Amino acid sequence: PQKSVEKEKTLKLALRLDGKNVEALNQLGKLAYEKTNYKEAINHFQTAQGINAETADRFYLGMSFLQLDKFKEAKQIFAELS
């Protein structure tokens, strides 16, 4: 838990320094997903996708939608991945 708190702080700092840091957004999304905060995860992944769709973690975006029973959105994401 302590490591994830430190990691989150570091990633948020990276975003403050560079608001278009897709890797930081992806990592924050994964941390939110792991904490079952799927809405926050979706926000991070969608922001990353808006900056660079090719490097955004779309798998976890789809999984986050799935966890919130947003099947239409999840299906669309997964269809784009295949």
Side-chain angles (χ1 to χ4, degrees):
Q2 183 63 25
K3 284 185 180 183
S4 67
V5 170
E6 289 300 316
K7 183 175 183 178
E8 186 173 1
K9 285 181 183 179
T10 302
L11 291 167
K12 286 182 177 181
L13 174 60
L15 268 185
R16 279 196 297 277
L17 296 173
D18 176 8
K20 294 185 177 188
N21 186 327
V22 174
E23 185 58 32
L25 287 162
N26 282 332
Q27 292 299 318
L28 283 167
K30 287 178 186 177
L31 285 174
Y33 182 90
E34 290 170 3
K35 293 190 284 186
T36 68
N37 189 343
Y38 304 117
K39 289 181 182 180
E40 181 182 338
I42 288 168
N43 182 50
H44 289 304
F45 294 131
Q46 287 181 324
T47 301
Q49 186 173 355
I51 295 167
N52 187 337
E54 291 187 23
T55 58
D57 196 327
R58 295 162 48 111
F59 173 77
Y60 274 98
L61 174 59
M63 290 301 294
S64 298
F65 278 127
L66 207 56
Q67 293 295 334
L68 294 175
D69 295 333
K70 294 188 176 208
F71 301 114
K72 181 180 175 184
E73 292 89 341
K75 183 179 178 181
Q76 181 180 348
I77 295 295
F78 291 132
E80 292 169 3
L81 289 176
S82 58

